[in-house]
Amino acid sequence: MQADSPSMAPAADRTIPRTGAQIIVDALCAHGVETVFGYIGASVLPLFDRLYDSPIRFVIPCHEQGGCHMADAYARASGRVGAIVATSGPGACNLVTGLATAMMDSIPLVALTGQVRTDLIGDDAFQEAPTTGITRAVTKHNSIVTDIKDLARTIYEAFHIASTGRPGPVLVDIPADLEFQKHSVNGPIRVSLPGYKVPKNGHARQISQAAEAINLSERPVLLAGGGVITANAAQELRDLSTRANLPVAMTLMGLGSFDQRRPESLDMPGMHGAPHANFAIQNSDLLIAVGARFDDRVTGKLEAFAPGAKVIHIDIDPSNIAKTIPVDVPIVGDARVVLAALAELVEYRARAAWFARIADWKRRYALDYDRAAATIKPQYVIEELCRQTGGEALVTTGVGQHQMFGAQFYKFAHPRQLITSGGLGTMGFGLPAAIGAQIARPDAVVVDIDGDHSFNMTMAELSTAVQNELPIKVCILNNGYMGMVRQWQELFYNKRYAYSHLRNPDYAQFAQAVGAVGITVQAKDQVGPALARMLREDKPCVVDFRVEAEENVWPMVPAGKSLDEMQGLEMLQNAM
Ligand SMILES: Cc1ncc(C[n+]2csc(CCOP(=O)(O)OP(=O)(O)O)c2C)c(N)n1
Ligand SMILES: [Mg+2]
C-alpha cells in the first residue's frame, strides 16, 4: 500500500545533508505538528537543540507521564496526532502508563524516545532501558531505528500507523548517535506497509443485512462507542438515528457523540449507567453497536447481556468483533462511511410502544440524589457546573466516583467534549489532560472534574498550567477517600476501609503556592459562587469542594451481575 506522504521539506533542501535531529524536526513539521510535549535528557539533547529553533511549540511537563497524558488529550480534543518526546531510560519508562492509557482508548500518539548510542546498546549503559521491549504491549506499533537512512521513513510510518485504522500510540526509539549523523533525503518519503490494511467501506451485503434487521426491529438500541468520535461520525450517527427512529445509548467513551438533550438519548449504560439505558439494552430485540468494544463495565455478566437481541457490530478493528459477545451481523469498516451507507437503506418506523416503555423507565428511574441534604453532594457540584457552563465545557476527569458522577450528571452535547480514561482507568489523567486539551482548544472552557486522590497522583502538573498560562479549571470533589474503592469496601468488604483513606494536602494553599488560584468550599451555598468565580478566572484555578464523604454512585451493577440487576434503584425511586 502506498500512502500519500506529506512532503518533507522544500525540494531544494532535501538533498542537503541534514542531521538526524533536523530530520526528526522536519518530519514533525511535515505532519503539521504545532505542539510537542516532552522532557529533556542526554539522549535527546541534539533533538531539543533543533526543536529550539523550530516553529513548534514545546510544552514541558513535570513528569513524562503527565506529558504523555497531555499529548493524548491534545489528540482527543483536536482530532490530530499527539506528539511526545522523552529521553532514554527513566524518561522512556515514565511514558508507560501514558502509552497504555492511549492504547486502551485508541488515541493517536507518536512517541519519540532517545536511546543510548548504538555502540552501547545492550551494555547496561547509563540510562539504557529496553524501551521497545517495555512498550511493545502498550503501543499499536514500535521500533528502534538503527540506520540514519531509515529515520525519516520510520517517523512517517509512525504518523501513518498512529492515525489510521483503529488509532493508537506508536513509539520510535532513536539512538543518540543517529541524531548527530548527517544524511540527505533524496526524493519523496513514501509509506509502504504491505501487511497493514485499513478497512473502510464495510461489506455491502452485510450493510444491507444490517439495514434489513433495523427495518424489522421493534425494540432497537443504537450503542455508540468512542469509535464514533474517533471517526468523526457524530453527524452520521444522528442521521441514522433520525432516519430509522432509533434510541441511542453511549458508552463512557462515546459520550458526546449524540446530544444527551435529545429525547432519543438513552445516556450511558453499564455498571454505573442510567437504568433506562440498561433496561433498554436488556429488553431490546436489536443492538447496533458502533465503535464500541463491549467492555465488561458496559456488558456486566456476558451470558445475560441483551438476551433477546440480535447484534450488529460495526468496528474498524476486526479483532473487536465477536471478541466478547456473539455477533449476528459484523461490519468491518470506518464508522462514518458505514453509518452513512446504512442511513440510505433504513426506513422510519414509529415504534410507539418501545419509546413509551423507554419514557416510563426514564421517568421512574431518573438519576437523582438527596437534594435536601445539608452537605455538599458531589452530584450537585456537577449539575451546577453543567448549568453555569451551559453544558458547553470541555470536561476531563480522573478515575473514581467523581468520573462516574461527571458522566452521569454533566450532559454532553458534542464529540470530544468529554476526555476521560475509559479503558485503562488511569488515576491522575484529569489534570494533565486538561492542560493538553486547553492547548488544543485555547477558546474552550476546560474543566477537570477530579478526585482528591486522582489529583494527588499528578498534581505537580498544576505548575505546568501556570507556566504555560492556561486558564484550566480544576474541581476537586474532595471526599477524603479513594471513594470508588471505599464504595466497594462498604458494599462487599463489610465497611472495612482498608487503606482507602489518607490525609490530603490543602489544595487551595498548594494552588496558590504554584501561582494558581485556590478556593476551598465547605458550605453548600458557596458551591454556586465558587464555580462562578472559577469560570471568571483567567489563571489556572483549583476549587476544593469538601463533598459528602460517603456518597455512593448509584445505580451499580455489581461485578459479575447482569445489567438489569442494578443495586440502588429503590433509592432513585425514593428520590422522586
Ligand atoms: C493509577 C491508578 N491506581 C489505582 C487505581 C484504582 N482505583 C480506582 S478508583 C480509585 C480511587 C480514586 O479516588 P479519588 O481520585 O479520590 O476519586 P473518588 O472515587 O473518591 O471520586 C482507585 C485507587 C486506578 N484506577 N489508577
Ligand atoms: Mg476521593
Side-chain angles (χ1 to χ4, degrees):
M1 185 199 64
Q2 292 247 306
D4 293 340
S5 300
S7 66
M8 184 170 179
D13 288 350
R14 267 198 238 114
T15 49
I16 303 168
R18 295 165 92 73
T19 63
Q22 189 62 51
I23 288 172
I24 298 168
V25 173
D26 290 345
L28 293 172
C29 290
H31 287 85
V33 173
E34 287 164 0
T35 306
V36 173
F37 301 83
Y39 212 90
I40 199 157
S43 70
V44 283
L45 269 172
L47 172 59
F48 274 68
D49 186 67
R50 293 297 83 215
L51 279 167
Y52 204 41
D53 277 347
S54 79
I56 293 173
R57 175 177 185 183
F58 202 81
V59 178
I60 307 149
C62 295
H63 185 293
E64 288 87 351
Q65 179 192 347
C68 204
H69 293 327
M70 289 173 203
D72 166 319
Y74 176 94
R76 297 188 204 222
S78 65
R80 305 171 64 183
V81 179
I84 168 86
V85 180
T87 195
S88 67
C93 289
N94 278 349
L95 294 182
V96 171
T97 307
L99 293 171
T101 304
M103 182 73 179
M104 287 289 270
D105 289 344
S106 309
I107 305 304
L109 275 192
V110 168
L112 304 177
T113 47
Q115 183 51 278
V116 299
R117 292 195 323 256
T118 35
D119 60 311
L120 292 175
I121 290 175
D123 287 357
D124 295 337
F126 178 64
Q127 297 196 321
E128 178 180 7
T131 304
T132 48
I134 291 170
T135 61
R136 178 132 301 150
V138 294
T139 50
K140 182 175 173 186
H141 179 70
N142 73 12
S143 60
I144 178 165
V145 186
T146 51
D147 187 330
I148 182 86
K149 291 200 284 298
D150 299 329
L151 182 57
R153 184 181 43 78
T154 309
I155 298 173
Y156 275 53
E157 285 170 0
F159 275 91
H160 181 68
I161 295 169
S163 60
T164 52
R166 179 181 182 180
V170 178
L171 181 140
V172 182
D173 201 25
I174 305 166
D177 49 326
L178 265 64
E179 294 171 50
F180 291 110
Q181 287 172 24
K182 286 196 167 179
H183 177 63
S184 12
V185 181
N186 292 311
I189 296 159
R190 298 222 178 273
V191 173
S192 173
L193 300 167
Y196 180 71
K197 301 258 182 305
V198 177
K200 189 169 175 206
N201 291 335
H203 195 290
R205 187 166 42 81
Q206 289 167 335
I207 293 174
S208 64
Q209 277 172 0
E212 205 173 307
I214 292 171
N215 293 339
L216 288 173
S217 164
E218 312 258 334
R219 301 184 309 279
V221 170
L222 189 50
L223 175 67
V228 173
I229 294 171
T230 309
N232 295 317
Q235 182 62 48
E236 288 73 11
L237 180 81
R238 185 168 151 184
D239 287 350
L240 178 65
S241 158
T242 308
R243 286 206 188 196
N245 196 24
L246 307 172
V248 186
M250 285 152 281
T251 68
L252 179 64
M253 293 300 297
L255 283 173
S257 62
F258 191 84
D259 188 341
Q260 287 188 276
R261 295 167 303 194
R262 292 178 67 87
E264 303 86 7
S265 171
L266 288 172
D267 308 310
M268 180 181 79
M271 181 176 270
H272 294 296
H276 51 262
N278 287 347
F279 284 132
I281 288 177
Q282 290 303 88
N283 288 280
S284 64
D285 65 359
L286 180 69
L287 187 61
I288 310 129
V290 193
R293 60 186 171 79
F294 296 109
D295 179 270
D296 53 279
R297 288 293 191 268
V298 169
T299 61
K301 184 178 177 183
L302 276 175
E303 311 83 75
F305 177 69
K310 189 169 181 165
V311 176
I312 300 170
H313 193 178
I314 302 165
D315 205 294
I316 199 151
D317 181 356
S319 75
N320 265 344
I321 302 222
K323 184 175 69 180
T324 55
I325 61 154
V327 170
D328 299 282
V329 186
I331 306 177
V332 177
D334 180 290
R336 190 172 176 181
V337 178
V338 174
L339 286 172
L342 257 182
E344 294 296 317
L345 303 175
V346 292
E347 293 153 13
Y348 186 92
R349 285 191 54 188
R351 301 187 175 98
W354 181 228
F355 277 97
R357 261 177 100 183
I358 290 171
D360 185 48
W361 286 318
K362 281 190 180 179
R363 232 184 348 263
R364 278 165 53 199
Y365 305 110
L367 293 174
D368 210 344
Y369 58 95
D370 180 4
R371 291 169 190 276
T375 51
I376 304 175
K377 292 283 183 180
Q379 302 95 322
Y380 171 62
V381 179
I382 310 273
E383 274 188 347
E384 185 59 16
L385 175 72
C386 188
R387 197 185 64 75
Q388 289 200 21
T389 53
E392 294 291 326
L394 193 163
V395 173
T396 69
T397 77
V399 170
Q401 290 184 320
H402 62 279
Q403 177 189 31
M404 291 297 106
F405 288 134
Q408 290 183 334
F409 286 89
Y410 202 96
K411 298 295 166 212
F412 296 94
H414 312 291
R416 306 189 186 280
Q417 199 187 347
L418 172 63
I419 293 184
T420 190
S421 170
L424 197 66
T426 308
M427 287 172 71
F429 180 74
L431 174 62
I435 294 172
Q438 187 78 78
I439 290 171
R441 305 257 294 272
D443 297 330
V445 174
V446 177
V447 183
D448 168 26
I449 297 175
D450 224 331
D452 43 337
H453 292 287
S454 291
F455 185 75
N456 289 347
M457 287 216 169
T458 54
M459 62 195 268
E461 301 301 349
L462 190 62
S463 71
T464 311
V466 172
Q467 187 93 25
N468 289 275
E469 300 181 351
L470 301 167
I472 58 157
K473 334 276 175 211
V474 182
C475 293
I476 303 178
L477 302 182
N478 184 358
N479 50 16
Y481 279 104
M482 299 175 196
M484 188 56 92
V485 172
R486 188 207 56 74
Q487 176 168 345
W488 285 51
Q489 289 171 330
E490 176 187 331
L491 299 175
F492 312 118
Y493 292 86
N494 207 15
K495 291 202 177 185
R496 276 166 54 85
Y497 295 159
Y499 309 114
S500 54
H501 182 74
L502 283 170
R503 188 163 157 190
N504 279 322
D506 181 322
Y507 296 116
Q509 278 190 24
F510 164 73
Q512 286 155 19
V514 300
V517 177
I519 305 170
T520 309
V521 178
Q522 282 170 309
K524 190 175 177 180
D525 62 0
Q526 288 309 303
V527 170
L531 284 170
R533 180 172 161 209
M534 174 190 90
L535 293 170
R536 278 196 309 271
E537 288 293 345
D538 52 11
K539 278 203 219 172
C541 179
V542 175
V543 191
D544 175 2
F545 293 97
R546 304 287 169 87
V547 298
E548 169 84 53
E550 299 196 21
E551 185 69 6
N552 286 334
V553 185
W554 299 118
M556 177 175 190
V557 178
K561 298 279 185 185
S562 75
L563 275 193
D564 38 18
E565 295 179 272
M566 284 169 271
Q567 283 189 19
L569 281 189
E570 56 305 332
M571 307 225 352
L572 300 180
Q573 282 176 302
N574 290 343
M576 288 194 46

